[in-house]
Amino acid sequence: MPVQKVKDFLGFSMSLYVHEKKPQYFGMSEFSHDMMENMPDYPLREDDVILCSYPKSGCHWVWEISRLLMTGRTSADKVDKENYMMEASNCVGCEDIADLPSPRLLNNHEFFENQPKDILKKGIKVIHVYRNPKDVAVSFFYHHNRLVEYQYNNPDFSKYLPRFVDGLVDSNCVFDYMRDWERAINEQKDLNVCVICYENMHENPLEEVRKLAKFLGKDYDDEFLQKVINATTMENVLKQKDMLFEDKSGPIMYRKGKVGDWKNHFTVAQSEWFDHITRSRMGKSKDYPLREDDVILCSYPKSGCHWVWEISRLLMSGRTSADKVEKEHYMMEASSCFHYGDIADLPSPRLLNNHEFFENQPKDILKKGVKVIHVYRNPKDVAVSYFYHHNRIPSYEYSNLDFSKYLPRFVDGLVDNNCVFDYMRDWERAINEQKDLNVCVICYENMHENPLEEVRKLAKFLGKDYDDEFLQKVINATTMENVLKQKDMLFEDKSGPIMYRKGKVGDWKNHFTVAQSEWFDHITRSRMGKSKVYTFKYDI
């Protein structure tokens, strides 16, 4: 894996190893490149136990506790967790985990999607540890400043926090990591997992260690469990490993291990911002009943949804001119709202639309095989279009005309429908994995570059057999100027209503600096990797 100086939005760099096949960063030079490339195919033993956590989430502590429970001892030995860390196997200073005796208590910081397949095939026991992300951010901040390999050395936490949220750190974005594991825990019936909350381990250690022992198949009395708890305080572990210095500090991988240290680092504004991001990234699902002949157009905002909706509406109705009905009347989020009717009252076939993540879509999409049109656009142009959208609509009360200040907000998902990368990753996962999903993917830039070819594809998906002459009339009728004219929405200066702007490809070049473009490219690669669904075109 090549090492790169990965820059954040403010221009600060951090040396990280970049996975050549997956959208993931690593920071430790001794990580095994072979293991990282081939971990899904790594063979496990049936009596293995694997502890999985995002970094700085209490993994050392829970590993020590679990090791004592598995061995029946009440004091830590000199073996370090890194010797059982899958990413570090067979590296300098670490043994090859293949040579370790059974039962092995392995550990890693990998997403579930990167875990060995044997976890499900062999029913391997998995201990999954998580911690509140504010304290994770603070702990990671000190980790990156104290380890020289990162070459970071930025002591300003306020400047580090956007990097953490953007996932430009080891193991990428903490919210992506937790969402990936939550999806696996909810959906993978063969996953044998025990979830441990770091804060619960502090608040109710005996109860949590009792739960952990039971999961590991150990029947210990509370007296023994209390001895394990006492032996695994940070001070005692370091003392037993001869790693406690005179000033009671420990090695660089250990720090406070406290709950709530974030309060000493976050401002009130940063805390509220972080809370919003947490809510937006970790949201839950919802449902809505559909008809079998419904068609749903799904896209992230400002991705060409109005344009493709107008085209699809003409294809479904067999007409070649737009009517006065607006897309918002068929928008699921606006159903039964002021100015808009209830979509339940609309006649069939309905061309509905929404900006929801796939996980929030109606279950009937899969149950009834409802046709879905999924539209995407290159995220740089989306960012620019959304910038003007938020400045032009008074209800947002935004009015910040500085694009450079808006861009981090967009990337962090502090806008309608959250982060564009989270949205696309969620849809890509569905398109790749949901065999019953009846979907047609439309690229906004392809619609500009090859409109006849794309509209022909769309018509075929909708079950319509039109000749190219008819399709060309549909294309001509759905230019922005013609749509607004036909809807009596075109003003004397040829501008339109506030929801429409340029609709061009490549306008981002008029707004991004070179540094911002490079930073945004880093974010795109780290969040999207080598996508099989999305091919971004930034110019045509």
Side-chain angles (χ1 to χ4, degrees):
M1 291 181 289
V3 66
Q4 293 184 11
K5 294 273 190 179
V6 179
K7 289 185 178 181
D8 58 27
F9 181 77
L10 298 170
F12 293 100
S13 64
M14 180 183 290
S15 293
L16 295 170
Y17 285 82
V18 182
H19 201 295
E20 294 177 347
K21 296 180 181 178
K22 303 168 186 174
Q24 193 162 358
Y25 294 126
F26 302 95
M28 302 299 290
S29 59
E30 65 268 22
F31 275 3
S32 167
H33 297 186
D34 289 341
M35 176 62 82
M36 301 314 303
E37 294 288 338
N38 302 307
M39 189 178 289
D41 297 317
Y42 186 83
L44 298 177
R45 305 170 193 166
E46 292 187 357
D47 61 352
D48 282 335
V49 177
I50 301 185
L51 188 150
C52 303
S53 75
Y54 189 81
K56 319 313 294 181
S57 298
C59 40
H60 280 79
W61 182 30
V62 178
W63 186 85
E64 294 289 349
I65 292 172
S66 302
R67 185 165 163 80
L68 296 189
L69 294 175
M70 289 176 66
T71 60
R73 293 180 293 106
T74 56
S75 63
D77 56 23
K78 295 183 183 298
V79 176
D80 292 331
K81 181 181 77 71
E82 284 70 25
N83 285 331
Y84 286 76
M85 189 172 187
M86 300 182 71
E87 295 97 327
S89 178
N90 208 19
C91 293
V92 177
C94 296
E95 299 179 54
D96 187 337
I97 59 173
D99 298 331
L100 296 173
S102 293
R104 300 177 299 183
L105 177 57
L106 306 178
N107 66 96
N108 66 56
H109 296 310
E110 283 288 310
F111 281 53
F112 176 80
E113 64 185 8
N114 296 339
Q115 294 293 332
K117 297 173 185 175
D118 278 352
I119 282 181
L120 298 179
K121 289 181 180 178
K122 297 182 178 180
I124 302 297
K125 290 182 178 178
V126 176
I127 302 168
H128 176 62
V129 186
Y130 73 95
R131 184 184 188 186
N132 86 72
K134 288 182 179 177
D135 277 329
V136 173
V138 170
S139 184
F140 230 176
F141 167 68
Y142 285 100
H143 176 88
H144 287 131
N145 274 285
R146 295 167 75 186
L147 284 175
V148 295
E149 292 97 327
Y150 293 105
Q151 300 179 27
Y152 185 55
N153 300 322
N154 175 11
D156 188 338
F157 178 72
S158 67
K159 294 177 180 176
Y160 172 84
L161 194 56
R163 167 180 284 275
F164 175 77
V165 170
D166 290 341
L168 299 180
V169 293
D170 319 16
S171 303
N172 297 353
C173 177
V174 65
F175 301 110
D176 289 348
Y177 180 92
M178 290 193 291
R179 280 166 60 91
D180 182 67
W181 270 95
E182 181 173 27
R183 183 177 291 106
I185 291 167
N186 289 335
E187 297 178 2
Q188 296 292 344
K189 297 179 181 179
D190 294 328
L191 181 58
N192 186 11
V193 64
C194 176
V195 179
I196 296 294
C197 172
Y198 180 85
E199 288 75 24
N200 288 349
M201 285 288 289
H202 274 275
E203 191 172 15
N204 301 298
L206 185 58
E207 180 180 337
E208 292 301 300
V209 174
R210 190 186 296 126
K211 178 178 78 171
L212 192 53
K214 182 179 179 181
F215 176 72
L216 294 170
K218 303 297 182 180
D219 185 18
Y220 298 123
D221 59 27
D222 285 354
E223 181 181 358
F224 176 87
L225 297 179
Q226 191 59 56
K227 289 180 180 178
V228 169
I229 293 167
N230 296 340
T232 51
T233 63
M234 183 181 293
E235 185 170 346
N236 283 341
V237 167
L238 298 181
K239 183 178 180 181
Q240 289 159 339
K241 293 178 183 286
D242 294 332
M243 299 164 73
L244 190 62
F245 311 141
E246 289 185 6
D247 62 357
K248 291 190 177 182
S249 67
I252 212 163
M253 295 295 287
Y254 295 80
R255 192 174 155 263
K256 288 184 177 181
K258 304 294 185 183
V259 176
D261 190 36
W262 65 268
K263 297 175 184 177
N264 300 317
H265 297 77
F266 280 71
T267 65
V268 173
Q270 288 170 342
S271 178
E272 291 177 351
W273 165 73
F274 199 90
D275 288 342
H276 182 96
I277 290 177
T278 304
R279 287 192 299 269
S280 69
R281 299 284 176 89
M282 303 301 295
K284 304 300 180 182
S285 300
K286 59 183 181 180
D287 200 2
Y288 188 87
L290 297 176
R291 306 170 193 167
E292 291 185 358
D293 60 352
D294 281 336
V295 177
I296 301 185
L297 189 151
C298 301
S299 73
Y300 190 81
K302 319 313 293 181
S303 299
C305 40
H306 280 78
W307 183 29
V308 178
W309 186 85
E310 294 289 348
I311 291 172
S312 301
R313 185 164 164 81
L314 296 189
L315 293 175
M316 289 175 65
S317 64
R319 292 181 293 104
T320 56
S321 62
D323 57 23
K324 295 183 184 297
V325 176
E326 296 177 24
K327 182 181 76 71
E328 286 71 25
H329 285 279
Y330 286 76
M331 190 171 186
M332 298 179 73
E333 296 95 326
S335 180
S336 296
C337 293
F338 184 63
H339 292 314
Y340 304 117
D342 190 334
I343 59 174
D345 299 329
L346 295 172
S348 292
R350 301 178 298 183
L351 176 57
L352 307 178
N353 66 97
N354 67 56
H355 296 308
E356 286 291 319
F357 282 51
F358 176 79
E359 66 182 10
N360 294 338
Q361 296 293 332
K363 296 175 182 177
D364 279 352
I365 280 181
L366 298 179
K367 288 181 179 178
K368 297 181 178 179
V370 171
K371 290 180 178 179
V372 176
I373 302 167
H374 177 61
V375 186
Y376 75 94
R377 184 185 189 185
N378 87 71
K380 288 182 180 178
D381 277 331
V382 173
V384 170
S385 184
Y386 229 175
F387 167 68
Y388 286 100
H389 176 90
H390 288 128
N391 272 287
R392 295 169 73 190
I393 296 180
S395 58
Y396 288 108
E397 298 182 351
Y398 185 57
S399 300
N400 179 0
L401 298 178
D402 188 337
F403 179 72
S404 66
K405 293 178 181 177
Y406 174 84
L407 193 55
R409 167 180 287 275
F410 174 78
V411 168
D412 290 342
L414 299 180
V415 292
D416 319 18
N417 300 96
N418 305 337
C419 176
V420 65
F421 301 112
D422 288 350
Y423 178 91
M424 289 191 291
R425 278 168 58 93
D426 182 67
W427 269 97
E428 176 162 31
R429 184 178 289 107
I431 291 168
N432 289 335
E433 298 176 3
Q434 296 292 344
K435 296 180 181 179
D436 295 328
L437 180 58
N438 187 10
V439 63
C440 176
V441 179
I442 297 293
C443 170
Y444 179 86
E445 289 75 22
N446 287 349
M447 285 287 289
H448 275 276
E449 191 172 20
N450 301 298
L452 184 59
E453 180 180 338
E454 292 301 301
V455 174
R456 190 186 296 126
K457 178 178 78 171
L458 191 54
K460 182 179 178 180
F461 176 73
L462 294 170
K464 304 296 182 179
D465 185 17
Y466 298 123
D467 58 27
D468 286 355
E469 182 182 358
F470 176 88
L471 297 179
Q472 190 60 56
K473 289 180 180 179
V474 169
I475 293 167
N476 296 339
T478 51
T479 64
M480 183 181 293
E481 185 170 348
N482 282 340
V483 167
L484 298 181
K485 183 178 179 180
Q486 290 161 338
K487 292 178 182 287
D488 294 333
M489 300 165 73
L490 191 63
F491 311 139
E492 289 185 7
D493 62 357
K494 292 192 175 182
S495 67
I498 210 165
M499 295 294 287
Y500 297 80
R501 192 174 156 262
K502 287 185 176 181
K504 303 295 184 183
V505 176
D507 191 35
W508 65 270
K509 296 175 184 178
N510 300 317
H511 298 78
F512 280 71
T513 65
V514 172
Q516 288 169 344
S517 179
E518 291 177 351
W519 167 76
F520 199 91
D521 289 341
H522 265 304
I523 297 287
T524 303
R525 286 194 296 271
S526 70
R527 296 288 178 87
M528 302 302 300
K530 295 181 179 179
S531 174
K532 296 180 181 179
V533 173
Y534 302 107
T535 300
F536 299 127
K537 295 184 177 182
Y538 296 98
D539 200 1
I540 57 173

